[in-house]
Amino acid sequence: MTPTRQTAVAVLGLGPMGRAIAATLVGSGNPTTVWNRTPGKAAELVAAGAVSGPDAASAVAAAQLVVVVLSDHASVHAVLDPLAEQLKGKALINLTSTAPEESRELGAWAAGHGIEFLDGGIMAVPPMIGGPGASILYSGAVSVFDRFRSDLEKLSAADYFGDDPGTAALYDFALLAGMYAMFTGFFHGAAMVRSAGISAASFAPRAAAYVAAMAELLPAYATVIDSGDYTDEVQPARFHKPAFDAIVRASRDAGVGLDIVGPIKNLIDRQIADGRAGEGLERIVEELAGNR
Ligand code: NDP
């Protein structure tokens, strides 16, 4: 039986994420060419079997699939603009964190040059790439996603979110916003308990279990948000206000700043001031969206 020919991939950008992606592809047997602006980052990859291109143009020459893992939108253009002609007819995946509008702009740029474009949002840190738990969200050309899906699944779970190149980035940043709010909430709690001599280490397992239990409520919140009917007879804003005011007082008493919880108190107060005291906490979605 003839062995299946593996996809030839070029990885442009060898920061920690680019190196993890290239290492996984090389380790999976993909012919892999790599390039980085500053030399000296490819040694381990070359030892593992990658070919290091002297410049980006030679790195992409033999590739069917070009993956860019750079620092931002400007760096993607800085690297790809001079390669536009050469990329014509190839598949391009941008795994650089770019804002949705920037991903759409890259999609339009690629379409204008006859390049098939898929954008990706990486929901993992470099050591997770190629292992369980990593996920990359994709949107853009379904042809690229379908054709190279087996290669993408070597890196992580791969989910496709439609042909708008900005959707994966939108999901990515929406998830990250929630992640940052969750982590900073934990930091606030850790500062509170530390005022009583309780270590973050003993607080963390309790916080992790509680966050996991509370995450179970998200689908119910989502149903309310999508219905647009926020009436809540059990836990409306008027129920949350005294509880949250107590959190603010307890924080102050513990000498902990209100940078994290202060804005949440303001949102609850605003909901009540807007005559929404009988509606649930989920109505904050409308407050945030400016629907007052
Ligand atoms: P780094 O900042 O370490 O690497 C950025 C890369 O971009 C480097 O290879 C750098 O080259 C290159 N670069 C920057 N500007 C230019 C330019 N003008 N021209 C050419 N090359 C340029 O980032 P990471 O590898 O950690 O991340 C890469 C992308 O992956 C980012 O968008 C990041 O948000 C995303 N990501 C990273 C995660 C992580 O945990 N690291 C998690 C999820 C997403 P040089 O070496 O020459 O400076």
Side-chain angles (χ1 to χ4, degrees), residues 14-17 36-38 41 70-71 75 79 96-97 122 124 126:
L14 299 178
M17 189 52 87
N36 194 64
R37 174 181 61 178
T38 308
K41 292 199 179 172
L70 297 161
S71 56
S75 60
V79 172
T96 310
S97 300
I122 305 173

Side-chain angles (χ1 to χ4, degrees), residues 237-274:
R238 78 167 71 85
F239 161 87
H240 290 286
K241 174 151 177 66
F244 212 86
D245 285 350
I247 294 171
V248 167
R249 282 198 307 282
S251 302
R252 259 198 207 108
D253 293 347
V256 176
L258 303 182
D259 308 74
I260 306 297
V261 297
I264 303 172
K265 172 180 163 44
N266 292 344
L267 281 164
I268 295 171
D269 287 350
R270 201 162 84 198
Q271 186 169 334
I272 290 170
D274 285 351

Side-chain angles (χ1 to χ4, degrees), residues 90-219:
K90 291 189 193 286
L92 170 66
I93 301 184
N94 173 46
L95 294 183
T96 310
S97 300
T98 46
E101 277 310 316
E102 295 170 338
S103 300
R104 290 184 185 114
E105 188 282 330
L106 287 170
W109 174 89
H113 290 93
I115 303 162
E116 287 183 288
F117 180 78
L118 188 67
D119 198 79
I122 305 173
M123 310 312 298
V125 292
M128 291 168 70
I129 297 296
S135 147
I136 303 182
L137 318 178
Y138 296 95
S139 66
V142 72
S143 53
V144 176
F145 184 77
D146 286 345
R147 203 154 73 246
F148 299 107
R149 186 172 191 156
S150 60
D151 299 299
L152 302 180
E153 285 176 343
K154 295 171 182 175
L155 304 176
S156 72
D159 293 304
Y160 178 73
F161 289 87
D163 59 6
D164 172 357
T167 307
L170 187 65
Y171 255 97
D172 181 358
F173 291 132
L175 289 166
L176 288 179
M179 181 201 78
Y180 278 108
M182 187 266 286
F183 282 143
T184 51
F186 168 69
F187 301 152
H188 181 92
M192 283 181 78
V193 296
R194 190 169 66 179
S195 73
I198 299 164
S199 71
S202 59
F203 179 58
R206 208 162 279 278
Y210 190 60
V211 166
M214 291 299 101
E216 301 285 322
L217 300 179
L218 295 183

